Amino acid sequence: MSTTTGKPTPTPAAPVALTRTYPRWASLAVLCAGILMTVLDGNIVTVAMPAIQRDLGFSGPGLAWVVNAYLIPFGGLLLLTGRLGDLVGRKRMFTTGLALFTVASLLCAVATGQGVLITARAMQGVGGAMTSAVVLGMLVALYPEPREQGRAIAVFSAVGAAGGALGTFLGGALTQALSWHWIFLINLPTGLAAWFVATRILAPDRGAGLRQGADFPGAALVTGALMLTVYVIVGAGDRGPLATLLLTTLAVALFTAFTLRQARARRPLLRLGLLRSRLLAGANAVQVLMVATMFGFQFLGALYLQRVLGYGELATGTAFLPAPVTIGLLMLGLSARTIARYGAYRVLLSGLVLIVAGMALLGRVPVDASYAVDVLPPLLLLAAGFAAAMPALTGLAMSGAREEDAGLASGLFNTTQVVGGSLGLAVLSTLAASRTGGLLDQGTELIPATAEGYRLAFRAATGIAVAALVLAAAVLRPRNP
């Protein structure tokens, strides 16, 4: 695999997700529809949380489990479901995940109690992991030619990135106009249509078979380690430092046991040589930092608009709407061509510079901010930066994997997204709350104290984005042949 130009050039492989009857764009549309649902669902709940709390009587700590119940199985199962997709067939994993996610969405929508909603959210997390883990592997096989693959990755990344920002708008609009139940009901027509079409136009791909990599002890170790890691991150603010330290130690022990198991197993779940790929390992490390920045901003930015500027649910969603529009236009119109001309490495660095600039501006946002002057410009910088960086990063990561490991590499890439998002949210929200609480104790009024808490979090996010830029520049630089 050549990376001398910075462009992803994976080894050509047979397009396993294409039938003779349908064009490839139809298959790409189905894959994008599947990922859109899971991305929307990870963000659409945020704005509706107060309404859910009022209706179902959640306590403050209990309400966090509406999010955590989804994130823990989603993040914990991505690596396993990605590998299983390589073994039993990616189409089978994708369509089964779609069906489970759609059924779970219906259960969420009709939930009248806390237990039902949390259980259904966990089911959504499992279905989302099954669907998301194999999509990139299917896409790479569908478009083996580098230039076409770059365009396809741009479309896929645009759907995922814009879907995340669009979720905030839809969450506010549906909750205010109808009720929070509709944020889940919206998944039903999309899920049913995507499942129906996928079962008919995605050609069956024969996996290597469970005997080629059915390392069930290893699967149990890594799934437990990943779930525990996500649990430690998303619940860090609700427990004491000793409990967090003990759980972190246990997670590290599970990862260590998994690594030792993979080094000795005859048919390992994860081929450790895969992690020696500079591009794959480096791109995943950069993604953790970049997504931590962006996810933390998306969550805290919505709270800033509501708690400091006094925006309602619909106004908050509308304020974020320029982001998905910008991401979609740039990714679909410029991203693939820009990467083809200048190389993924240069495009990635340019995108990260824009993200740093956007976060730095947010770190100076005043208490009486004007949306047009103080909020919209950094929002557009962040959207443009993410639109440039994400397709380039995705291409670099997948170019570091062989075809037989494409599902596993896809699952790994999605796993680091979840870990990065959870980590960013936990760290930045804790910083904001701590700073706000300290100022309130000193006698500062609520709104100025809250605003300063968010500014501190945005400044910390700027530092994380700088770290992502430095790491990308050092690790992902193309090497001469």
Side-chain angles (χ1 to χ4, degrees):
M1 303 175 193
S2 173
T3 58
T4 56
T5 64
K7 295 180 290 185
T9 55
T11 303
V16 298
L18 176 65
T19 65
R20 296 179 179 178
T21 307
Y22 297 90
R24 284 185 294 176
W25 65 261
S27 298
L28 176 61
V30 172
L31 297 179
C32 288
I35 202 66
L36 177 63
M37 282 201 313
T38 59
V39 171
L40 276 175
D41 209 75
N43 295 273
I44 201 170
V45 175
T46 304
V47 182
M49 295 281 271
I52 294 174
Q53 185 175 23
R54 288 193 302 267
D55 279 7
L56 300 185
F58 278 99
S59 64
L63 185 64
W65 282 99
V66 177
V67 176
N68 296 351
Y70 177 83
L71 286 178
I72 292 171
F74 184 83
L77 291 171
L78 279 167
L79 193 60
L80 174 59
T81 52
R83 183 54 177 164
L84 288 177
D86 290 334
L87 300 179
V88 305
R90 295 171 199 153
K91 176 186 176 179
R92 181 181 299 176
M93 185 64 64
F94 180 78
T95 53
T96 303
L98 275 178
L100 179 60
F101 188 90
T102 304
V103 171
S105 296
L106 178 60
L107 293 177
C108 288
V110 301
T112 57
Q114 299 178 16
V116 174
L117 179 60
I118 290 175
T119 301
R121 287 285 286 164
M123 290 175 58
Q124 276 190 313
V126 176
M130 296 172 69
T131 301
S132 302
V134 296
V135 168
L136 277 175
M138 297 174 78
L139 188 149
V140 168
L142 188 63
Y143 291 92
E145 196 276 321
R147 186 175 294 271
E148 288 187 339
Q149 186 181 110
R151 287 194 291 266
I153 286 178
V155 172
F156 171 81
S157 299
V159 170
L166 187 60
T168 305
F169 169 74
L170 287 176
L174 291 172
T175 301
Q176 186 163 316
L178 299 168
S179 74
W180 64 265
H181 300 275
W182 285 88
I183 67 174
F184 299 112
L185 286 173
I186 197 175
N187 290 328
L188 298 187
T190 305
L192 289 172
W195 179 85
F196 179 82
V197 175
T199 56
R200 282 156 178 78
I201 75 169
L202 296 180
D205 54 311
R206 183 174 297 177
L210 288 175
R211 293 182 178 179
Q212 297 301 313
D215 178 20
F216 294 110
L221 287 170
V222 73
T223 301
L226 286 170
M227 283 188 171
L228 187 57
T229 298
V230 177
Y231 172 71
V232 169
I233 293 172
V234 299
D238 300 327
R239 67 176 75 93
L242 180 58
T244 299
L245 177 61
L246 291 175
L247 291 172
T248 302
T249 302
L250 178 57
V252 171
L254 289 174
F255 275 121
T256 302
F258 170 72
T259 303
L260 294 174
R261 168 73 189 179
Q262 299 312 286
R264 299 173 181 175
R266 289 183 56 195
R267 297 185 178 93
L269 178 71
L270 171 62
R271 188 172 55 82
L272 294 181
L274 184 68
L275 300 179
R276 289 195 289 270
S277 166
R278 176 179 61 91
L279 290 178
L280 182 64
N284 276 279
V286 171
Q287 179 174 235
V288 169
L289 299 174
M290 184 178 77
V291 173
T293 300
M294 295 299 296
F295 196 82
F297 152 73
Q298 188 168 318
F299 182 80
L300 295 178
L303 292 179
Y304 172 83
L305 292 177
Q306 291 177 309
R307 295 179 178 177
V308 176
L309 300 187
Y311 284 28
E313 294 163 340
L314 181 57
T316 299
T318 304
F320 272 84
L321 195 55
V325 173
T326 301
I327 289 170
L329 290 176
L330 291 179
M331 280 189 176
L332 296 178
L334 297 175
S335 181
R337 285 181 291 178
T338 304
I339 291 173
R341 181 172 181 178
Y342 297 105
Y345 175 74
R346 292 188 181 93
V347 174
L348 171 62
L349 294 188
S350 300
L352 289 173
V353 167
L354 292 177
I355 291 174
V356 170
M359 290 307 309
L361 287 177
L362 283 173
R364 303 172 50 133
V365 67
V367 175
D368 56 347
S370 163
Y371 174 77
V373 175
D374 300 305
V375 178
L376 183 59
L379 179 67
L380 293 177
L381 283 173
L382 289 168
F386 195 73
M390 194 61 190
L393 194 61
T394 303
L396 288 169
M398 294 305 294
S399 70
R402 302 185 310 196
E403 164 58 21
E404 60 268 29
D405 292 320
L408 180 60
S410 174
L412 179 62
F413 196 69
N414 282 286
T415 298
T416 56
Q417 281 188 13
V418 176
V419 172
S422 302
L423 184 62
L425 179 57
V427 171
L428 297 178
S429 61
T430 300
L431 277 176
S434 176
R435 178 60 172 162
T436 298
L439 290 174
L440 289 174
D441 292 340
Q442 296 172 18
T444 307
E445 294 183 359
L446 177 61
I447 291 181
T450 304
E452 177 55 30
Y454 291 139
R455 280 196 294 268
L456 175 62
F458 293 147
R459 291 194 290 269
T462 304
I464 297 173
V466 169
L469 175 61
V470 172
L471 181 63
V475 175
L476 298 179
R477 179 186 297 275
R479 292 179 177 174
N480 294 325

